[in-house]
């Protein structure tokens, strides 16, 4: 059964037609990711769902109720939705705890002690319980965004809308926010996410919507959109990001196959020799470091993703490894491999969730 229905929604700003007769049906618990170029209407679409913008025409139904009806109790229906914005929107004069408890107490009538208990539980889940009494000004951007996500969860929404939640963050902070969103994606919560993080989109989405020409230009599973897009503009957009993947399922994996694959990948997309060599070194050293952390009798389950952006001339690498938490970047004494890795790569990040170590970096 569909939890959210969008029927023939349109929106213009003056003579600029941003969205034209958009239709969408979202099932309860579904994870929808919206991608597309700047100005294609992605963020406007989310704001229409929340009635932060008024549509020029069409209807929007949330859990069977039309939020666009003239006599709709918009505030009540909106309680079923949470929204996480690009710029956090925390109240600067309130502490973290006060930011989290204000709406549940004032709007839902929750008892203060109940709200504080719930807030502490959410803060523990996102690793920020020690920041409960701090003010937003002393928090990093990544911490503020994690608090903003907790604030939405305090209202027990059935769907959360994410409007490019990492776009205002320093690259070093993106991973911590995506880790929280990955955690949420494991739950039954419905999520609609506008993002430019393509690797993340591929990982968590049930369905990808590519926006262009005033609406949903093409949609499909992550594999359909990223690996086999059918329409011209989708193909052009996806080709800005080139992908290489490699699975490691045993200790004696074929290193030459991996390095040869990276070599071919680099040559195909015009990377210079030094860049390709550094990428090979990063992949090799990180994989071998993580193999040291896997017990001898345990199954090896690693997955390497490499993403190259033609326009930015940047390469990002991601390695996931199943097992107990092991952060190779924070050992008491770096081995030679990690020392080399730190000397050639930038923005090295680590997270651990759902029994999986996740590392990433950039060249």
């Amino acid at each position: 059964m569909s939890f959210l229905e969008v029927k023939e929604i349109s929106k213009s700003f003056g003579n600029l037609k941003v969205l034209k007769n958009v239709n969408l049906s979202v099932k309860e618990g579904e994870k929808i990711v919206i991608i597309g170029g700047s100005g294609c209407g992605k963020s406007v679409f989310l704001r229409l769902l929340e009635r932060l913008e008024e549509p020029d025409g069409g209807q929007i139904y949330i859990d069977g109720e039309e939020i666009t009806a003239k006599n709709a109790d918009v505030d009540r229906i909106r309680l079923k939705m949470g929204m996480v914005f690009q710029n956090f929107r925390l109240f600067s004069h309130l502490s973290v705890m006060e930011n989290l408890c204000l709406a549940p107490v004032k709007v839902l009538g929750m008892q203060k002690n109940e709200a504080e208990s719930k807030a502490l539980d959410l803060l523990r889940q996102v690793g920020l319980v020690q920041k409960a009494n701090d003010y937003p000004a002393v928090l990093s951007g990544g911490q503020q965004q994690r608090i903003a996500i907790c604030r939405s969860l305090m209202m027990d929404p059935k769907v959360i809308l994410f409007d490019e939640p990492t776009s205002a963050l320093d690259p070093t902070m993106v991973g911590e926010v995506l880790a929280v969103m990955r955690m949420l994606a494991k739950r039954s919560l419905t999520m609609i996410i506008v993002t430019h993080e393509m690797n993340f989109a591929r990982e968590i989405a049930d369905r990808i919507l590519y926006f262009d020409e005033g609406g949903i230009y093409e949609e499909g599973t992550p594999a359909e959109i990223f690996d086999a897009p059918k329409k011209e503009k989708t193909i052009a957009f996806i080709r800005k990001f080139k992908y290489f993947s490699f699975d490691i399922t045993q200790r004696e994996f074929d290193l030459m196959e991996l390095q040869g694959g990276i070599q071919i990948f680099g040559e195909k997309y015009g990377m210079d020799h030094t860049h390709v060599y550094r990428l090979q070194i990063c992949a090799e050293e990180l994989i071998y470091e993580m193999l040291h952390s896997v017990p001898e009798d345990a199954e090896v389950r690693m997955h390497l993703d490499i993403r190259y952006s033609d326009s930015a001339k940047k390469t990002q690498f991601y390695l996931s490894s199943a097992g107990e938490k092991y952060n190779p970047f924070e050992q008491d004494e770096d081995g030679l491999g990690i020392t080399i890795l730190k000397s050639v790569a930038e923005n090295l990040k680590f997270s651990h969730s759902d029994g999986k170590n996740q590392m990433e970096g950039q060249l």
Side-chain angles (χ1 to χ4, degrees), residues 248-253 288 291-298 300:
I248 301 98
T249 58
Q250 55 187 5
R251 293 179 182 280
E252 296 76 25
F253 73 99
Y288 278 117
L291 281 174
H292 293 320
S293 72
V294 180
E296 288 292 336
D297 58 347
V300 175

Side-chain angles (χ1 to χ4, degrees), residues 1-4 26-32 63 80 125 153 156-160 162 180-192 204 206 354:
M1 179 179 178
S2 295
F3 174 76
L4 184 148
V26 179
K27 296 178 182 178
E28 188 169 358
E30 194 172 11
K31 310 320 184 239
I32 302 292
D63 201 17
K80 299 179 181 182
Q125 293 179 43
L153 294 172
D156 289 325
K158 291 188 175 182
V159 57
I160 296 188
F162 294 86
V180 172
M181 294 174 67
R182 286 187 182 98
M183 176 186 71
L184 294 181
K186 303 294 184 182
R187 304 178 182 180
S188 59
L189 187 67
T190 307
M191 300 169 69
I192 303 177
I204 67 102
D206 295 312
D354 299 320

